[in-house]
């Protein structure tokens, strides 16, 4: 049995040590053993379980759904997987509508010779008018940062956002919009 310390296991999956501590605290991934000095020791079965947890997280499952999917001696319940697939389909429809709206806004702004600038409040009002709630705006920022970091930076600067806050928004967006 390969033994992994918490930092080794976390690093091998690109996770933080605190994530594994959280998983242990909620009973999602507990170490196979403890060393004589009290350190957590994870085995291959733990590593395999963490791989499944990571895949489910990448698919957007909640911790409570992952707990259900990892129940011992059970295959992943099809209804949970199908429900997540339906949620993704609905999200795609919402995102496409938002994409069309934003593309129209960009086209209108770029087709004018002298586009009037939009301040932060105006931009937030437009996004809310387009149906984005707070979570939708967080996803929008995270996607913008992922796909076009320089353009995202320039966009925030044009909204008049100060450098300190701009850096914080971009760091937060790079983390996937998680708080």
């Amino acid at each position: 049995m390969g033994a992994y310390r918490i930092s080794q296991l976390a690093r091998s999956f690109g996770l933080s040590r605190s994530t594994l501590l959280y998983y242990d605290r909620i009973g999602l991934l507990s170490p196979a053993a403890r060393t004589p000095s009290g350190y957590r020791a994870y085995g291959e079965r733990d590593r395999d379980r963490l791989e499944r947890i990571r895949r489910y997280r990448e698919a957007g499952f909640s911790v409570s759904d992952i707990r259900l999917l990892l129940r011992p001696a059970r295959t992943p319940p099809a209804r949970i997987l199908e429900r997540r697939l339906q949620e993704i389909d609905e999200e795609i429809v919402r995102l496409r509508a938002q994409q069309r709206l934003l593309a129209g806004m960009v086209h209108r702004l770029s087709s004018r010779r002298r586009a009037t600038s939009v301040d932060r409040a105006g931009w937030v009002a437009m996004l809310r008018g387009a149906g984005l709630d707070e979570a939708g705006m967080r996803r929008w920022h995270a996607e913008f940062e992922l796909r076009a970091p320089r353009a995202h930076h320039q966009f925030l600067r044009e909204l008049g956002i100060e450098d300190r806050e701009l850096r914080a928004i971009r760091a937060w967006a790079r983390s996937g919009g998680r708080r």
Side-chain angles (χ1 to χ4, degrees):
M1 166 176 129
Y4 303 93
R5 290 184 63 176
I6 191 167
S7 296
Q8 293 171 314
L9 187 61
R11 197 172 24 255
S12 71
F13 283 91
L15 299 172
S16 68
R17 181 179 175 278
S18 61
T19 297
L20 294 189
L21 291 172
Y22 171 70
Y23 288 168
D24 186 12
R25 190 172 60 250
I26 65 171
L28 197 58
L29 178 72
S30 298
R34 294 253 182 184
T35 66
S37 55
Y39 291 107
R40 291 167 173 80
Y42 294 89
E44 288 301 322
R45 289 181 68 176
D46 300 321
R47 191 179 200 308
D48 293 343
R49 185 175 177 93
L50 184 55
E51 175 62 34
R52 289 194 314 275
I53 291 168
R54 187 186 58 78
R55 277 196 321 254
Y56 288 138
R57 291 299 288 163
E58 285 178 359
F61 284 99
S62 68
V63 170
S64 59
D65 281 344
I66 292 171
R67 192 184 316 278
L68 293 174
L69 290 164
L70 292 174
R71 282 186 182 161
R74 293 188 70 184
T75 57
R79 74 177 198 287
I80 295 172
L81 299 172
E82 289 168 352
R83 186 185 75 226
R84 179 64 188 141
L85 191 56
Q86 179 63 37
E87 290 170 358
I88 290 170
D89 287 342
E90 291 167 4
E91 182 70 12
I92 288 170
V93 168
R94 279 193 304 275
L95 289 172
R96 284 193 178 132
Q98 292 168 6
Q99 181 183 41
R100 284 190 300 274
L101 178 67
L102 289 170
M105 289 176 183
V106 168
H107 177 73
R108 282 189 297 280
L109 288 173
S110 65
S111 66
R112 294 182 194 163
R113 280 195 176 253
R114 293 185 306 160
T116 59
S117 67
V118 177
D119 65 357
R120 181 183 197 165
W123 187 254
V124 169
M126 281 191 281
L127 292 177
R128 288 201 191 287
L132 268 75
D133 59 1
E134 198 66 34
M137 285 190 253
R138 286 194 297 268
R139 286 189 307 272
W140 183 85
H141 273 288
E143 197 63 29
F144 199 167
E145 182 67 28
L146 176 70
R147 294 178 186 270
R150 287 184 186 167
H152 187 224
H153 178 89
Q154 186 61 34
F155 171 79
L156 294 172
R157 186 174 292 288
E158 289 174 8
L159 288 179
I161 296 174
E162 299 293 326
D163 285 343
R164 183 174 172 204
E165 185 180 8
L166 188 147
R167 286 190 302 275
I169 290 169
R170 291 191 65 212
W172 165 83
R174 281 191 297 276
S175 75
R178 293 181 294 273
R179 293 182 185 227

